[in-house]
Amino acid sequence: LGFAPEEALNLKVRSDLMIEISKMIEEQGLTQTAAAKLLKVTQPRISDLVRGKIDRFSVDSLIEMLGHAGANVSFKVVAGSEAA
């Protein structure tokens, strides 16, 4: 899509984290207001998240939200040729 490899990786990580938060909200049957309270953000932030507005979220903010929900986040780092 024309992104530098580093930016593409960052977008992929943010996308994956957003998907996990959205799945958690859906699986628990949370309203946006309840999700906001659980994740310690405002309801408009949850609206942005479920609408996929990736540009409004950093990796750090998404990990922090997951932490507030009691989730453990881990990453696996692999050498360049193995990552493909």
Side-chain angles (χ1 to χ4, degrees):
L1 297 173
F3 295 108
E6 298 82 11
E7 186 174 355
L9 179 59
N10 184 278
L11 286 168
K12 169 86 169 93
V13 170
R14 286 188 287 159
S15 174
D16 289 346
L17 292 169
M18 289 175 72
I19 288 167
E20 288 305 314
I21 295 169
S22 294
K23 284 196 307 193
M24 180 199 65
I25 291 168
E26 186 176 322
E27 288 170 359
Q28 293 184 23
L30 299 174
T31 63
Q32 287 189 7
T33 302
K37 185 178 281 190
L38 174 68
L39 301 174
K40 301 195 185 325
V41 295
T42 63
Q43 181 276 323
R45 291 286 284 162
I46 299 299
S47 179
D48 288 342
L49 186 131
V50 298
R51 293 175 194 269
K53 295 185 178 181
I54 196 167
D55 59 308
R56 298 193 180 176
F57 296 91
S58 67
V59 171
D60 288 347
S61 67
L62 294 165
I63 291 172
E64 186 175 328
M65 290 167 67
L66 284 162
H68 288 303
N72 291 316
V73 178
S74 63
F75 291 92
K76 179 179 178 183
V77 178
V78 295
S81 63
E82 295 178 44

